[in-house]
Amino acid sequence: MLILIINCGSSSAKYQLFDAERHHFLAKGIVERIGHTNSSLRHQTNSGKPLSRNVSCKDHHVAIEIIVKTLTDDRCGVIRSKNEIKGIGHRVVHGGEEFKASTFITPKVIRSIVKYSELAPLHNPPSLFGIRACSEILRGIPQVAVFDTSFHQTMPSRSFMYAIPYRLYAKYGIRRYGFHGTSHRFVAEEAARKLWRPLKDLRLITCHLGNGCSITAIDGGKSVDTSMGFTPLEGLVMGTRSGDIDPAVVFYLMEKERLSPAEVSDLLNKESGLLGISGVSNDMRDVVKASKGKGKAAGRARLALDMFIYRIEKYIGAYVAAMGGLDAVVFTAGISENNPWLVKRIEDDLKGIVPREAKFLVIPTNEELLIARDTYKIIKARRK
Ligand code: ADP
């Protein structure tokens, strides 16, 4: 069964066409800079050379048209007709408290995703554009939503509540939701496979270290705590996000620097983290390179790395305590997968802190594969 995976961001639409029974992708790519004058398409089949070209793409509807046209193109396509696609899986960032698992998309589900746009104003609207475009261009093909938040819906209230007046949780849904759920869930399942043990018997800590970074405590296959909160700003030091910070810093900055709430938000989301401390870049490659030099700039880069690693170690310690034990720490995403020294350093630093038998694993994430699996399962179940 061919499943099309769509992941719409504010100005991009990523896609993968999966053969769900054979567990491999046929083609994948991305339409970038949607809504700009210099939009482009990158496309790759599992056997052919990657292709890249400029396209005219004013919105997500056009992006989906381009994707379908590319997949069915005589020269670079992999299918003859769009009717060969039997299901569409969408990555959706926020499913609030309502979606505890991936779900078949109905008009009611769409209304809920619209409702949760209030909690994820940058992320849910592009997903909705993608879902609507697919309902028009790929009419009649069943669609499934896979949420970044749903895996963390198993967190107990003691870890998801903020200690602010309860009425604000009731009124606005202010609580910790957690993100990157698809990635944490995928690598947890892979870790169980690698360790030859059932997931339900394992206490895992999964570290997703990419441009955004988060860490999750997974007890018996269930997320029991995670570092991102109401928004993806909380928790670890990231490329451009501060992670944990005393909220009083926000008021202090507003007063001293005469910043508006939106300006402080930008400062903490876009100018902080590795970039803010190193002054060099949000990209781990650049920070590592700078840290090897001499002088003040190298010192700042080393400080950024130290802070990045220290925060991860602090969370690992906290999550071992939260779960009362640990079987493995799993590292995934760009930073983990390309910086073995970093994982080794964390493993060495934590010797004597985590149980001696705990394993340290690096497992590449594959969110698209999990979205494809969920979509396939849900559509197959509905056909019966
Ligand atoms: P995203 O969250 O956007 O999916 P990725 O998982 O691609 O992010 O991770 C991006 C991070 O991975 C960046 O900080 C980048 O520096 C780091 N990274 C990617 N490739 C390498 C590499 N070859 N060496 C070191 N770091 C890398």
Side-chain angles (χ1 to χ4, degrees):
M1 187 194 285
L2 296 190
I3 305 281
L4 178 62
I5 308 304
I6 298 286
N7 179 354
C8 283
S10 56
S11 64
S12 71
K14 286 192 202 155
Y15 62 94
Q16 278 203 27
L17 187 67
F18 251 92
D19 184 328
E21 275 121 356
R22 297 203 181 87
H23 307 283
H24 73 113
F25 85 93
L26 300 178
K28 63 180 174 185
I30 182 169
V31 181
E32 288 175 293
R33 293 182 294 276
I34 296 172
H36 298 262
T37 47
N38 56 347
S39 314
S40 65
L41 164 78
R42 277 188 285 142
H43 172 78
Q44 186 179 1
T45 65
N46 66 2
S47 51
K49 268 200 288 188
L51 95 93
S52 177
R53 64 181 156 89
N54 294 332
V55 289
S56 164
C57 184
K58 69 175 166 54
D59 57 26
H60 288 80
H61 186 101
V62 176
I64 301 292
E65 276 177 349
I66 292 170
I67 291 169
V68 173
K69 221 166 146 195
T70 309
L71 290 171
T72 52
D73 186 272
D74 281 345
R75 279 166 301 168
C76 63
V78 284
I79 50 176
R80 274 203 208 107
S81 140
K82 59 187 182 186
N83 296 330
E84 287 176 48
I85 301 169
K86 298 298 175 207
I88 306 162
H90 292 271
R91 175 187 175 215
V92 181
V93 166
H94 220 303
E97 290 187 328
E98 182 177 342
F99 296 108
K100 300 185 183 345
S102 304
T103 189
F104 190 82
I105 298 179
T106 61
K108 182 168 172 283
V109 169
I110 292 179
R111 284 197 295 278
S112 293
I113 300 174
V114 171
K115 188 168 88 190
Y116 300 125
S117 291
E118 213 164 87
L119 297 175
L122 299 179
H123 295 104
N124 275 21
S127 302
L128 284 162
F129 296 144
I131 292 169
R132 290 196 178 116
C134 286
S135 344
E136 287 160 20
I137 298 160
L138 298 165
R139 195 176 292 274
I141 300 177
Q143 304 192 68
V144 165
V146 178
F147 300 93
D148 266 27
T149 49
S150 63
F151 180 59
H152 301 299
Q153 279 299 305
T154 45
M155 283 195 285
S157 47
R158 64 168 183 264
S159 49
F160 76 66
M161 287 299 289
Y162 289 116
I164 58 174
Y166 190 90
R167 65 184 158 77
L168 299 173
Y169 162 64
K171 191 170 177 187
Y172 300 112
I174 298 177
R175 50 158 283 178
R176 310 183 58 255
Y177 290 96
F179 300 88
H180 289 147
T182 321
S183 176
H184 289 292
R185 192 177 129 211
F186 178 83
V187 296
E189 287 171 10
E190 288 295 301
R193 223 185 306 257
K194 274 195 191 298
L195 296 168
W196 291 90
R197 289 179 60 190
L199 188 53
K200 68 173 178 36
D201 294 344
L202 290 173
R203 284 173 289 196
L204 301 173
I205 294 174
T206 51
C207 310
H208 177 109
L209 309 178
N211 280 314
C213 302
S214 69
I215 177 164
T216 298
I218 303 175
D219 195 348
K222 293 193 162 73
S223 166
V224 291
D225 206 346
T226 192
S227 58
M228 284 180 168
F230 181 58
T231 74
L233 182 55
E234 193 179 344
L236 300 178
V237 174
M238 309 179 212
T240 59
R241 295 182 209 141
S242 65
D244 294 336
I245 193 169
D246 181 344
V249 172
V250 174
F251 324 127
Y252 193 81
L253 275 175
M254 288 170 82
E255 211 175 294
K256 291 284 177 191
E257 298 260 309
R258 301 211 176 287
L259 298 180
S260 68
E263 286 167 332
V264 185
S265 170
D266 270 2
L267 188 137
L268 297 178
N269 274 294
K270 299 181 185 161
E271 297 167 37
S272 301
L274 291 175
L275 171 67
I277 295 295
S278 72
V280 175
S281 166
N282 63 314
D283 193 303
M284 186 51 101
R285 282 167 282 207
D286 302 331
V287 181
V288 170
K289 199 164 154 210
S291 73
K292 293 182 176 146
K294 286 207 176 87
K296 266 195 191 149
R300 289 253 303 271
R302 282 196 290 274
L303 172 62
L305 291 178
D306 279 348
M307 290 171 67
F308 183 83
I309 291 169
Y310 176 70
R311 186 86 52 93
I312 296 169
E313 293 174 350
K314 214 159 90 165
Y315 266 93
I316 292 176
Y319 287 171
V320 173
M323 293 191 288
L326 177 72
D327 294 293
V329 188
V330 186
F331 291 85
T332 194
I335 293 179
S336 314
E337 290 164 27
N338 294 292
N339 296 281
W341 64 271
L342 187 141
V343 175
K344 179 79 178 57
R345 178 163 152 194
I346 295 174
E347 183 175 353
D348 289 346
D349 287 351
L350 292 177
K351 279 212 171 90
I353 310 292
V354 300
R356 203 190 309 213
E357 58 284 2
K359 303 270 187 298
F360 281 70
L361 308 171
V362 177
I363 299 181
T365 193
N366 193 340
E367 293 160 89
E368 288 79 11
L369 180 56
L370 198 142
I371 296 173
R373 281 185 194 154
D374 275 11
T375 306
Y376 176 63
K377 250 190 257 165
I378 289 173
I379 290 174
K380 216 169 127 197
R382 282 181 72 93
R383 281 183 169 183
K384 280 187 184 152

